[in-house]
Structure formats: C-alpha cells, structure tokens
Amino acid sequence: MERAMYFLDQKDMPTHWYNVLPDLPEPLPPLRHPGTKEPLPREGPLPPPIFTDAVNKQEFSTERYIEIPEEVQEAYRTYRPTVLHRAYRLEKALDTPAKIFYKYEGTSQAGSHKPNTALAQAYYAKKEGVKRLITETGAGQWGSALAMACAFFSLECKVFMVRVSYHQKPGRRILMETWGSKIVPSPSSDTEVGRRLLAENPEHPGSLGIAISEAIQAAFGDDEAKYSIGSVVNHVLLHQTIIGEETRKQMEMADAYPDIIVGCVGGGSNFAGQFLPWIRDKLSGKKPDLRIICVEPKACPTLTKGPYTWDFGDEAGLAPIVLMYTLGHTFVPPGVHAGGLRYHGMSPIICHLYKLGLIEAQAVHQVATFEAGVKFARTEGIITAPEPCHDLRVAIDEALKCKESGEAKTILIAHSGHGHFDLAAYDEYLSGKLVDYEYPEEKVKEALAHLPQVPEG
Amino acid sequence: MERAMYFLDQKDMPTHWYNVLPDLPEPLPPLRHPGTKEPLPREGPLPPPIFTDAVNKQEFSTERYIEIPEEVQEAYRTYRPTVLHRAYRLEKALDTPAKIFYKYEGTSQAGSHKPNTALAQAYYAKKEGVKRLITETGAGQWGSALAMACAFFSLECKVFMVRVSYHQKPGRRILMETWGSKIVPSPSSDTEVGRRLLAENPEHPGSLGIAISEAIQAAFGDDEAKYSIGSVVNHVLLHQTIIGEETRKQMEMADAYPDIIVGCVGGGSNFAGQFLPWIRDKLSGKKPDLRIICVEPKACPTLTKGPYTWDFGDEAGLAPIVLMYTLGHTFVPPGVHAGGLRYHGMSPIICHLYKLGLIEAQAVHQVATFEAGVKFARTEGIITAPEPCHDLRVAIDEALKCKESGEAKTILIAHSGHGHFDLAAYDEYLSGKLVDYEYPEEKVKEALAHLPQVPEG
C-alpha cells in the first residue's frame, strides 16, 4: 500500500460550510420560547439575546452553502485539513475484508473537533465588537477550544467550569489558562444562581446544568460579552461540516465511498459535522443505502430509549424548548467516562433525521468501548478519548460482521479526538475496575414527568 | 497566504535514513571499553552484547543512505510524514520580517519524535527472533514510544520507570500499559542492582542512571531479550533523520531554505534528526553560512560549559566511554521541567560537530522558555513540551533580532512534541512559581573529578 494517510492540500480546503436545513425533506419544527412556551419565529433569533448576530442568522439560515470567512480559514490553517487515515493495521488484526477509514480531529491543538466552531464564533464576536465570550465547560474539552479561539482573536474568555472537574482535572484548567482564559469554578459567587447555591452549600460540587445557567446569566448581565455554545444547536453543526466536506475530498483521493458512517453522539456536533455532507447523497438518491449509525452510551440512550417530545435544551430551563428525543432535562446520567455523551437531549437536526428514518442509532456499554479503544491503540497507536471509543466499538462490530459475511464494506469513523486527558479511564479498564451502568429506567421516568407543558400550535 | 501547513504525500516519504558518518570531515573518535578503558574496534560491536545485530551494524556503518525496511515504512505511515508548519501567526505577533517554520513531531501517537527509532528497533528485534525489549524511562516519553512500537511488532516490552515518576506521573505509565507493556518502578526487586538499593532503602526514589543499570542488567540476563535505547547513540540519530529528510522536501514545497535551524538537545537525537540532512549542504559548501543552534538548559549546559573529555555514557559506568562534552557522569542536574534535557553528556556525533565548529550552542533559563511556550500557545495554538520550549525561546530571539536588523531570515524549528503531560509546569509558570536554576558550578566540578582515567591510544 502506498498511502495510509490522506492529506488534503490547504489550497483545496473547503471554503464553505454546508447547511442541511434547505435540503431537509421536511422542515425542522419551530422552537418554543422557554418562558411563554409559544412557537418562536422560524427566522429566529434565539432567545435570550446572548448570541452574536452572525450565529443567530446562521442558526436559521436557508442558504445551502455558507462561506467560511477568510480570517476563520486562516485560523483553520494552523491545524486543518485534518488527516483521513486508512486503518490497515486494525483491519489486519480483525482479519476483515472491510475497509476501515477514520477522519481524526485529535490533531487540533485542543485535541478535538471543538475548535472548528470555537474559531468561527470567536471571529464573529470580534467582528461585532464583543469584548469577551462566556461559556461553561464540564471536563473542559469545549472550554479549552474556546479559550484557544479567544486567544487567536484577541478576545477575553471566561469559562464556568463544573467545580468538581475544576479540582479533579487540573490539566484542562491549565490548558485554558495557558491560552489566557479566566476559569471560574461553578457554582461561583459571580452570578445570582451561583451565590444562591453556594449559600445553601459552600462545597457544592456543581453540574453542567448549573454552569450553563451561570454562563447565560453572566452573559445576559454583561453588555460587552456574548455567550458561546459548543454543540447541539444548528450553527455549531454548520461549522463542523468542514469535517465532512474535507472527508469527501479525501475519500475521493482514496478512490473510496463509505457504506457505513459511524460516530458517537452527545450533543451531536462532531458526528453531524461528518455525516451531513454525505446525507446529501442519500437525500438525492445517489446513495440511498448509505448507513449512518449514531452511537450513544447505554447509560444515556437518548435516541434509542427516549421519547420524541418537547423539552428544554438545558437543565435549568433557560434555553428554548425543542422537539427532540430526550431523557428529560432534569435527568442526571450515571458517571460514564464519556462525559461528552452525558446529555439528556440531542441536536434537533439529528433528532429530526432520526425521526425521519434517515439515520440509525445504537447504544453500547462502556467496558466494550474501552476494549475497542485498547485494540485501536495497539494496532493504530492512537489513544482515543472515551467518546469516540464508542465509534470504534461499533465500527469493529461492523467489520467483524463483514468477516462473517465476506462483504468488503467501506466503514468511515468520525473520530473526534485523543484521550490524553482521560487516561484514568484506561487505567480503570486495564485493571478490571471499570463497570457498566444499566439503563436507569426509573430515573428517566421521573425526569420525563417534569417535561414542560407545551400548548398546541 | 495559501498554505501554513506543508503536507508531504506518503508516496513521497523518504525511503532511506541518512548516515552522516561517511560525510564527517574527520572520523568520530573510537569508543573505549567501560571496563578495560581500551579503544574498541571502529567497526563495533557495542559492548555489552545487548543490542540487536541490525542496530549494532548501523551504529558503525559507513553507508551514506540506509534503506528503511518496508515494514518500518508501513508503521511510519500511521503518523508520518509529520507536518511542516509556517508560523504566520507567531511572525505577526512578533512583527518580524523573519519567516518561521516548525517541523512538528507532536502528532505521532506517542506525542514526540521517539517512535521514529522505537519502531525501527522493534522491527529489527522481531526479525531477529527476540521475544522482548527492555528499556528504562524517566518521565516516560521514550518508554511510551517503545511500548507502542512493541505493540506494533508483537513484542513484549518491559520498562524500568524511575520510581518517583512512576508514582507522580501516572499518565505516562497508563499510556505504556494501554499499549501492552509491563512497567516496573525502579529500583525494583527484578535485578541485582535494584535489590541491593531496595535493601538499603525500601523507599528509594530511583534515578534514570539506576533505571538504565537495571534495564541493562535485565537484558544481559535474559536470552530472549534485547536492550533498547532512545537517544545519544549513532543508530538512534540515524533513525531520526527521517525528520530532516522529510523537512527538506517540505521546505522545497514552501520554496524556502533555512538560514538558521534551532533545536533543543538532551541526548540530541531529535535535533540531529532534523539538522544532519541539512549539514550536508554546509559540509559540501552549498550553504556554508547555515547556522545550526543547539539549545540546552542553563541548569545542564553540557556543550556551553562542559569540557571535551572522556566519560561514561551512563551514570552507572556500564556503557562505553566516549570522547564528548560532559558535566561528569555522576552529575545530577537541578530539577528543571525539561527532563529530557537533563543528561550529563551529549550524542558523540553532536559533540564532534560542535568541536569542529560546525554547529553552535546556547543555554537558556527555564522561565524564559515557558514565556516563549505561552506566546507560541496563544499564537499557533500548540502546547509545547518543556524541551522544545527551549527551541521556541531561541527562535523568537532570532526573529526579534531580524526585526531590529530588518533581515528576512528563514528560521526552522525542530519541534519535538506536545506538552499534554507537562501541564503542571505551565501552571507553575502562569502562577509565578517557576524558578530558574543557576549553573551548579561546584557540583559539576565535583562530578568532573570522577571522570574515568583513559590510557593513551
């Protein structure tokens, strides 16, 4: 073999993001206002008014291709195009006739796909005269991407980081500080909601929901700031389509076309960023049998177990109400290592496509995902983050099915990043201490009893 | 600008390592036997007999180009060619007319250049019927590269890891275990020297010198094993020349040629891997004014402060005696974060070239290196390991000199890897707690009093 890595020359880097909205066979259901519960205008803007004008427009845009500003392209050129790999060594170890490719976002400076949208959001903020961006982060993957983006565009950045992670995972905090951001353990005394929770319990461990509420409140009360979000919403998925657009060109270089595309979904932005540019071919009839498999943890099986219903996008009920698959916005999933997949809901675009039967979903247990991650490490070398270990599990399963059937299918993995800050999870797996969590049916039932009541409309 | 990253297609990846030995204007001085102190044969082998035949031959080879075995090329293709970047954003921040390029080895799965030789050594061991490789590691960068290489070639791997690092830096240990290696805290009860030290002090913190002694002893006493080394010796530098050979092609793509090449030196393998393919042009008169700057810590200034004399390559006196710049094999450098630069000696090839006046050396303080690292992080995004932060310091200084003089020099940085496992050092720098260490003149004097006495010959 001549090539196991497909490099795309920067002069051929895609210059446009792909917006799936105008190509959907049915339009996305309108959002609902979190307070009034009434339908919001189809053309936006998102409430509350804490987003930049540019992303608010993109959120509801009907343009099929949206040009990537030259300044954002320049920033992308510090790490993009990322590489498409052919996993020859994994194929050989599995003794499968399947061809396995993986598009790897782990070589971005922040270690994941997150900078693809962070850089765009920071650029627009700078252009609109914003002084600082405010966001929340759990383990720190999103926060670190935004921190880097703000350094690139000379913006201040304030990150509310879940207090327990702030103390337990200093690595990600230091990363963000190295890029110049201000990190605040949440709950904090900087916001009303934070002060209230600290008064109740000065040692409050925090949660992602609380951190979101603090970030939104802080942005709302700061004229020089805007809020920035790292997944779920349309404009984030839009920015991530650079991944799939690049991959299309690279698969062409490899003279290959995927039969199966597999990726993990938490909010869904990495995987949608990969598959949306391909689903065009399914919608247009060019590749009607293309399989797109969303993988989620059995501990948080939004698509595979949740009802399709109206729910808040955030735990605090400050974000719009969305028609989606959800386990209830008050549901707290078991502590699987794949923190990025512990979201009660799912991107509205992914929910819509799943409802329409255009994409599939599977739920897997975490021990099996780390087993796949270790196999990948020992064949391809890369230490995979817990989230994309989910992709690896299903990709390996599909490759093994090919071994049985003798079919030489082409499998494309949307590999979102490295696990350099997740080694404790590998340690647990290797020492036999890692456990699986069964689907917490009772807790979901309870959370689903607290869905917002939405009037007909 | 069209390109800030230069990708080299895998079909154009160099197929040969470059061996500088036949091109040296004067031959390397012969080694001396660590026991008898007598000169060793110029054609080898290295004592003791713990290396594979293949690398023992390469160590003394007079062939100018040595073919990279196809199996090693295949393994390289999981991460090579690495990218040559143009640091446009850093240039702009410095407001310099200099053109700054960096060849970045941090995208290898182990995060540094080390797999370039680890994969070669593991391949040769497998081919010669060896069952396991044994080595030592300090903080774990070399150990993790060899662990991955052994996974790739289905070899067992045993790593003696300095006990204090084993406990303080679990990340690197887990990395190695994920790749399937056995990690033993050193001193250990597995070797005679280890047992003796543990009997004296059951809580012995260990040192790299002790770990080397244990690894050599363990390999010596195990018929199925060979020993593997990660820097300093000729064959390791040879394997690293893939870096410079790639860079030559990539600089050509960029239509550029370096005026200055800068890199940090501990044992010297990464930097030699970059500059040896360029020094050809200096030796041949094609680029006589090419500047090659070795950067070392002020705390361990081997080239800039050490005498050129005979000394053991290792602290325990088991390795051959070499004519080199040295601070004395018993010298224990202050605890700078750049652990990879805390070596008392230096690769014989680098010492020889430095003695001949073909390369330069500078020593820098660590606070200044982290200042450069943070500037680099906030412009180019990458979090740099403490060792290559030394390159960044000197590259930035040279670029600022260009700003003063108005010269548009081309500076090439040999960037050896990321700092994802070194964030505590950044934390110290950012919080103002990082200190500089003055050159420990008295300790060096004491160590230099213990040099081996070598007979004329």
Side-chain angles (χ1 to χ4, degrees):
Chain A
M1 54 86 179
E2 250 187 352
R3 289 193 197 88
M5 288 167 83
Y6 294 87
F7 299 115
L8 183 66
D9 193 319
Q10 290 194 324
K11 77 171 170 42
D12 300 320
M13 190 169 79
T15 55
H16 291 71
W17 294 304
Y18 167 61
N19 177 20
V20 75
L21 295 183
D23 286 341
L24 292 174
E26 294 175 24
L28 275 191
L31 304 170
R32 302 275 181 145
H33 192 281
T36 67
K37 318 261 189 315
E38 293 296 330
L40 289 162
R42 279 197 180 276
E43 67 281 8
L46 284 170
I50 50 175
F51 291 95
T52 60
D53 294 341
V55 303
N56 234 326
K57 257 195 213 157
Q58 291 178 348
E59 185 71 16
F60 305 95
S61 173
T62 54
E63 244 182 295
R64 184 169 284 114
Y65 291 97
I66 294 178
E67 190 166 11
I68 306 172
E70 174 53 28
E71 292 85 343
V72 177
Q73 290 191 46
E74 256 188 59
Y76 280 175
R77 287 192 202 108
T78 62
Y79 69 100
R80 303 206 70 86
T82 56
V83 177
L84 175 73
H85 294 254
R86 172 83 183 266
Y88 281 111
R89 298 176 48 81
L90 176 62
E91 291 171 18
K92 202 173 162 191
L94 297 174
D95 189 22
T96 175
K99 292 177 190 171
I100 306 176
F101 290 86
Y102 62 102
K103 172 74 165 174
Y104 181 51
E105 294 291 301
T107 52
S108 87
Q109 303 95 327
S112 78
H113 61 293
K114 295 284 186 190
N116 299 335
T117 184
L119 289 164
Q121 294 189 47
Y123 163 72
Y124 290 124
K126 185 70 182 180
K127 207 180 149 196
E128 293 177 22
V130 173
K131 200 168 161 195
R132 75 185 64 84
L133 284 176
I134 302 180
T135 197
E136 71 286 333
T137 201
Q141 203 168 67
W142 163 241
S144 51
L146 193 68
M148 184 184 94
C150 286
F152 273 33
F153 289 103
S154 305
L155 286 167
E156 293 176 19
C157 181
K158 181 171 181 173
V159 182
F160 289 91
M161 185 174 188
V162 176
R163 182 177 294 266
V164 62
S165 298
Y166 180 93
H167 291 297
Q168 281 176 1
K169 303 196 171 181
R172 283 277 179 190
R173 168 184 62 77
I174 301 166
L175 261 188
M176 293 185 268
E177 289 175 347
T178 300
W179 281 314
S181 289
K182 188 172 176 207
I183 318 304
V184 182
S186 165
S188 76
S189 55
D190 291 10
T191 68
E192 205 189 297
V193 60
R195 284 190 293 272
R196 183 171 51 76
L197 291 164
L198 285 178
E200 285 167 17
N201 176 8
E203 305 297 317
H204 199 299
S207 75
L208 194 58
I210 294 166
I212 294 175
S213 306
E214 286 207 83
I216 291 178
Q217 275 199 345
F220 197 65
D222 181 346
D223 284 350
E224 297 179 317
K226 291 287 178 187
Y227 172 72
S228 183
I229 186 170
S231 190
V232 179
V233 299
N234 300 353
H235 66 266
V236 174
L237 272 60
L238 171 77
H239 300 155
Q240 294 295 354
T241 58
I242 182 82
I243 302 173
E245 292 294 339
E246 284 177 7
T247 310
R248 286 187 67 107
K249 294 189 173 201
Q250 290 165 312
M251 288 295 279
E252 213 177 300
M253 289 165 72
D255 198 17
Y257 193 101
D259 297 301
I260 301 172
I261 309 179
V262 56
C264 62
V265 287
S269 71
N270 171 65
F271 190 40
Q274 176 59 264
F275 81 68
L276 287 176
W278 296 96
I279 212 170
R280 286 202 295 262
D281 293 351
K282 187 160 180 162
L283 295 170
S284 71
K286 188 182 154 196
K287 177 76 177 175
D289 60 344
L290 173 63
R291 291 184 61 198
I292 296 167
I293 308 176
C294 301
V295 191
E296 51 186 20
K298 286 240 190 218
C300 189
T302 312
L303 293 172
T304 50
K305 293 279 190 185
Y308 186 61
T309 184
W310 293 99
D311 198 5
F312 292 109
D314 69 317
E315 286 167 87
L318 298 173
I321 298 169
V322 187
L323 185 57
M324 64 176 173
Y325 291 89
T326 179
L327 301 171
H329 65 281
T330 59
F331 171 63
V332 180
V336 288
H337 284 285
L341 307 184
R342 292 175 70 242
Y343 178 57
H344 70 276
M346 184 62 63
S347 157
I349 288 176
I350 289 189
C351 290
H352 190 64
L353 293 169
Y354 185 61
K355 181 69 182 171
L356 294 173
L358 290 162
I359 58 180
E360 307 170 35
Q362 284 183 31
V364 293
H365 270 311
Q366 77 171 345
V367 172
T369 68
F370 280 95
E371 186 200 14
V374 169
K375 184 167 260 326
F376 194 74
R378 293 183 185 176
T379 51
E380 297 294 317
I382 289 171
I383 306 293
T384 299
E387 294 84 359
C389 280
H390 287 67
D391 319 15
L392 300 179
R393 175 72 273 157
V394 171
I396 289 172
D397 290 345
E398 290 294 331
L400 291 174
K401 280 184 209 163
C402 287
K403 185 182 173 182
E404 273 181 41
S405 68
E407 288 172 288
K409 287 190 182 160
T410 298
I411 301 170
L412 169 62
I413 299 169
H415 193 311
S416 60
H418 66 63
H420 299 171
F421 302 110
D422 306 288
L423 288 170
Y426 278 89
D427 203 25
E428 269 186 40
Y429 169 76
L430 293 168
S431 57
K433 288 179 197 147
L434 192 69
V435 295
D436 284 330
Y437 295 98
E438 291 308 319
Y439 170 55
E441 199 172 347
E442 285 307 310
K443 279 174 72 184
V444 171
K445 239 185 223 170
E446 203 186 303
L448 290 176
H450 296 92
L451 295 177
Q453 297 306 311
V454 168
E456 296 286 319
Chain B
M1 53 86 177
E2 249 187 353
R3 288 191 196 88
M5 288 168 82
Y6 295 87
F7 299 116
L8 184 66
D9 193 320
Q10 290 195 324
K11 76 171 171 43
D12 300 320
M13 190 169 80
T15 55
H16 291 71
W17 294 304
Y18 168 61
N19 177 20
V20 76
L21 295 184
D23 286 340
L24 291 173
E26 295 175 23
L28 275 190
L31 303 170
R32 302 274 182 146
H33 191 281
T36 67
K37 318 265 190 311
E38 294 295 331
L40 289 162
R42 279 198 180 276
E43 67 281 8
L46 284 169
I50 51 176
F51 291 96
T52 59
D53 294 341
V55 303
N56 234 326
K57 255 195 213 158
Q58 291 178 348
E59 185 70 17
F60 304 96
S61 173
T62 54
E63 243 182 294
R64 184 169 283 114
Y65 291 97
I66 295 178
E67 189 165 13
I68 306 172
E70 173 53 29
E71 291 85 344
V72 177
Q73 289 191 47
E74 256 189 60
Y76 279 175
R77 285 192 204 110
T78 63
Y79 69 100
R80 300 206 75 85
T82 56
V83 177
L84 175 73
H85 294 254
R86 171 84 182 266
Y88 281 110
R89 298 176 48 81
L90 176 62
E91 291 170 18
K92 202 174 160 189
L94 297 174
D95 189 23
T96 175
K99 292 178 192 170
I100 306 176
F101 291 86
Y102 61 102
K103 172 75 164 174
Y104 182 50
E105 293 292 301
T107 50
S108 87
Q109 303 94 326
S112 79
H113 61 293
K114 295 283 187 190
N116 299 334
T117 184
L119 288 163
Q121 294 190 48
Y123 163 73
Y124 290 124
K126 186 70 183 182
K127 207 179 147 195
E128 293 176 22
V130 173
K131 199 170 163 195
R132 76 185 62 84
L133 283 176
I134 302 180
T135 197
E136 71 287 332
T137 201
Q141 203 169 66
W142 163 242
S144 51
L146 193 67
M148 184 185 94
C150 287
F152 273 33
F153 289 103
S154 304
L155 287 167
E156 291 176 19
C157 180
K158 181 170 180 173
V159 182
F160 288 91
M161 184 173 188
V162 176
R163 183 178 294 267
V164 63
S165 298
Y166 180 92
H167 291 298
Q168 281 176 2
K169 303 197 171 181
R172 284 276 178 193
R173 168 185 61 77
I174 301 166
L175 261 188
M176 294 184 268
E177 289 175 346
T178 300
W179 281 313
S181 289
K182 187 168 178 210
I183 320 303
V184 183
S186 163
S188 76
S189 56
D190 290 12
T191 68
E192 205 189 297
V193 61
R195 283 190 293 272
R196 183 171 52 75
L197 291 164
L198 284 179
E200 287 167 17
N201 176 8
E203 305 298 316
H204 199 299
S207 75
L208 193 58
I210 294 167
I212 294 175
S213 307
E214 285 208 83
I216 292 178
Q217 276 200 343
F220 198 64
D222 180 346
D223 285 349
E224 297 178 317
K226 290 288 177 187
Y227 172 71
S228 182
I229 185 170
S231 190
V232 180
V233 300
N234 300 352
H235 66 267
V236 174
L237 272 60
L238 171 78
H239 300 154
Q240 294 295 354
T241 58
I242 182 81
I243 301 173
E245 292 294 340
E246 284 177 6
T247 309
R248 285 188 68 106
K249 293 187 174 203
Q250 289 166 313
M251 287 294 279
E252 212 177 301
M253 289 165 72
D255 198 18
Y257 193 101
D259 298 302
I260 301 171
I261 309 179
V262 55
C264 62
V265 287
S269 72
N270 171 65
F271 190 39
Q274 175 60 265
F275 80 68
L276 287 176
W278 296 97
I279 212 170
R280 286 201 296 260
D281 293 353
K282 187 158 179 161
L283 295 170
S284 71
K286 187 183 155 195
K287 177 76 177 176
D289 60 345
L290 173 63
R291 291 183 61 199
I292 295 166
I293 309 176
C294 301
V295 190
E296 51 187 21
K298 287 241 191 216
C300 190
T302 312
L303 292 172
T304 50
K305 294 278 190 185
Y308 187 61
T309 184
W310 293 99
D311 198 4
F312 291 109
D314 68 318
E315 286 167 88
L318 298 173
I321 297 170
V322 187
L323 186 57
M324 63 176 173
Y325 292 88
T326 179
L327 302 171
H329 65 281
T330 59
F331 171 62
V332 180
V336 288
H337 284 285
L341 307 184
R342 293 175 69 244
Y343 179 58
H344 70 276
M346 185 62 63
S347 157
I349 287 176
I350 288 189
C351 291
H352 190 65
L353 294 169
Y354 185 61
K355 180 71 183 170
L356 294 173
L358 290 162
I359 59 180
E360 307 169 35
Q362 284 183 31
V364 292
H365 270 311
Q366 75 171 349
V367 172
T369 67
F370 280 95
E371 186 200 14
V374 169
K375 185 167 259 327
F376 194 73
R378 292 184 186 176
T379 51
E380 297 294 318
I382 288 172
I383 307 292
T384 299
E387 292 84 358
C389 279
H390 286 67
D391 320 13
L392 300 180
R393 175 70 272 160
V394 171
I396 288 173
D397 290 345
E398 291 293 332
L400 291 175
K401 281 183 208 163
C402 287
K403 186 182 173 181
E404 274 181 42
S405 68
E407 288 172 288
K409 287 189 183 163
T410 298
I411 301 169
L412 169 62
I413 300 168
H415 193 311
S416 61
H418 66 63
H420 298 173
F421 303 109
D422 306 288
L423 289 170
Y426 279 88
D427 203 24
E428 270 187 39
Y429 169 76
L430 292 168
S431 57
K433 288 179 197 148
L434 192 69
V435 297
D436 284 331
Y437 296 98
E438 292 309 318
Y439 170 55
E441 198 170 347
E442 284 309 309
K443 279 175 72 186
V444 171
K445 236 183 226 171
E446 203 188 303
L448 290 176
H450 295 91
L451 294 177
Q453 298 306 311
V454 168
E456 296 285 318

